[in-house]
Amino acid sequence: MNSPKPRLWTPSFALACAANFLLGMSFYVLMPTLPFHLMAQLQVDEAVAGGILASYVIAALLVRPFSGFIVERIDAKHAYLAALAAYVLCTAGYLLAASVLAFVFVRMGIGLAFAILSTASNTQAIDIIPSQRRGEGIGYFGLMSSLAMAMGPMAGLWLMDHFPFALIFDAAIASGVGGLVIASFVRSPTKSRVVHSAVLSLDRFLLVRAIPLACNLAVIGLAYGMLLAFAAVYGRQVGAQSTGLFFTLMAIGMMAARAFSGRLVDGGKVVAVINGGTLAIVVGLAVMVIFPGAGSFYLTGVFIGAGFGVVYPAYQTLIVNLGSNAQRGTAVATYFTALDVGIGLGMVLAGVVAARVGMAQAFASGSVLVLLAGAAFAFFFARRLPASAH
């Protein structure tokens, strides 16, 4: 007889998911609205706006490789709470920023804090999740970010149309504070601290064996960065009246996909999940460009969201499984470093291409890059995975 699966939805896991949702709301309520604010209030073009938005990723990369080491040396919960408090304080800095330079400094502060808190929160969640249900648990934990992505942009764009922009910053701060309060009640298993030798090496900060796979993930992240920064701008160019609806539909696709993909990953179908998800992203971006219009813009959001909804947790599971239990923080840091690189470069690339040849061409380039990354996984990485992953 098969032994019953260990319980996934413990009080601590539920609280961790709730805190992750509120953190996501704090982040996503600002993501699609900041480009409008920067271009309207500071009179900058798409390229400069993309650079300002990407500055948080540049800062995150300065500390991200060390975030796993920090989490393992302290513990996930205390690192998470400290970084989340710093994130809330930096978000409050938006209220004082009145120039391009000030926005860059605020974004960099957020990047430094976010690099540690995202690594710590995911490491804490993985510690709470039973190993037999890791793929499913990671999927549900990430589902909270998807839910925030559904509600945050819609709320932010609605607030932008009806109230002074400062109210959006207030909403982001309040959501972050709520997440901080809830996160303080999460209880995770006590782990023995990792004792390292005095010699510094790369594997103290990144999971070396996962770097090639992480680089491939970074290429997929380019398209995600483009969408986060400029999907709302492109939507208005093609006649979409409610650009926030795109993010809602994208998040619905993510949530629907995550609801079943985690079980497929745990059941040994990770290759099929990643191949299918990558194809959905490529097709969605291509249709959005080839058939410009409000209808296709909204429709492709579902396909693109479903693609990212299965690809991201599947890659995270693969990367975490490549490390030992003592390397979970390092593995999570490696995963998020890949996302930071991809999303940040995607924001910059989209802004530069859009300023020179147009927004549609920027998203077309994203589709091509994801296609190349999908081919690399299917014909190179997938063949090196154990048979149980197929």
Side-chain angles (χ1 to χ4, degrees):
M1 292 180 62
N2 294 327
S3 58
K5 289 184 178 181
R7 184 183 177 191
L8 174 61
W9 286 101
T10 60
S12 284
F13 183 64
L15 289 171
C17 286
N20 197 39
F21 168 73
L22 289 173
L23 173 61
M25 284 293 292
S26 176
F27 184 82
Y28 284 113
V29 76
L30 288 170
M31 182 55 70
T33 55
L34 276 177
F36 292 103
H37 181 69
L38 293 171
M39 289 187 286
Q41 300 299 318
L42 301 183
Q43 301 297 308
V44 300
D45 63 13
E46 292 93 337
V48 176
I52 295 172
L53 294 174
S55 60
Y56 99 94
V57 182
I58 296 171
L61 286 172
L62 297 176
V63 71
R64 177 73 77 184
F66 307 98
S67 61
F69 176 75
I70 292 170
V71 169
E72 290 168 2
R73 291 287 292 186
I74 309 172
D75 68 70
K77 179 174 181 175
H78 290 95
Y80 180 27
L81 294 178
L84 184 49
Y87 167 83
V88 172
L89 290 174
C90 290
T91 301
Y94 279 126
L95 294 170
L96 304 176
S99 65
V100 170
L101 184 61
F103 264 93
V104 169
F105 277 122
V106 170
R107 294 289 290 173
M108 292 186 74
I110 288 174
L112 293 173
F114 205 86
I116 297 176
L117 77 86
S118 54
T119 298
S121 65
N122 278 262
T123 302
Q124 182 185 54
I126 292 170
D127 288 341
I128 295 170
I129 297 167
S131 60
Q132 301 94 320
R133 305 184 70 174
R134 182 171 294 161
E136 184 182 2
I138 288 175
Y140 281 123
F141 186 73
L143 183 63
M144 297 301 104
S145 295
S146 300
L147 183 60
M149 186 179 176
M151 300 174 63
M154 181 71 80
L157 291 166
W158 184 84
L159 289 171
M160 184 180 71
D161 290 337
H162 294 86
F163 298 96
F165 207 92
L167 189 62
I168 305 178
F169 294 137
D170 291 337
I173 295 167
S175 185
V177 170
L180 178 61
V181 171
I182 291 176
S184 66
F185 291 100
V186 176
R187 300 181 65 180
S188 54
T190 302
K191 297 194 303 181
S192 58
R193 290 186 179 181
V194 179
V195 179
H196 294 281
S197 64
V199 180
L200 291 178
S201 60
L202 181 61
D203 61 0
R204 294 271 294 277
F205 310 111
L206 294 174
L207 192 62
V208 175
R209 71 186 72 173
I211 289 177
L213 188 63
C215 289
N216 203 59
L217 174 62
V219 177
I220 297 175
L222 288 168
Y224 195 64
M226 292 178 177
L227 289 164
L228 286 179
F230 293 108
V233 176
Y234 177 73
R236 295 200 172 181
Q237 290 179 0
V238 299
Q241 296 300 314
S242 178
T243 52
L245 181 59
F246 172 85
F247 290 97
T248 299
L249 293 172
M250 186 173 168
I252 289 172
M254 281 188 172
M255 289 186 285
R258 285 180 184 269
F260 67 86
S261 64
R263 295 182 181 181
L264 291 177
V265 170
D266 289 338
K269 303 295 183 182
V270 65
V271 171
V273 166
I274 289 178
N275 287 341
T278 305
L279 181 61
I281 298 170
V282 172
V283 172
L285 288 170
V287 170
M288 187 170 70
V289 172
I290 296 172
F291 303 101
S296 61
F297 176 71
Y298 294 135
L299 180 62
T300 55
V302 178
F303 289 96
I304 294 171
F308 283 117
V310 297
V311 166
Y312 279 174
Y315 266 92
Q316 185 177 6
T317 301
L318 283 179
I319 290 172
V320 169
N321 287 344
L322 286 173
S324 65
N325 289 342
Q327 294 175 307
R328 284 178 183 170
T330 302
V332 172
T334 304
Y335 167 77
F336 278 108
T337 298
L339 291 188
D340 287 342
V341 171
I343 291 172
L345 290 178
M347 291 176 175
V348 174
L349 179 62
V352 171
V353 174
R356 294 185 178 182
V357 295
M359 195 66 71
Q361 288 75 10
F363 287 118
S365 66
S367 179
V368 172
L369 289 169
V370 176
L371 177 62
L372 293 175
F377 179 83
F379 297 107
F380 179 76
F381 293 103
R383 296 182 179 181
R384 285 159 175 76
L385 295 175
S388 60
H390 294 259

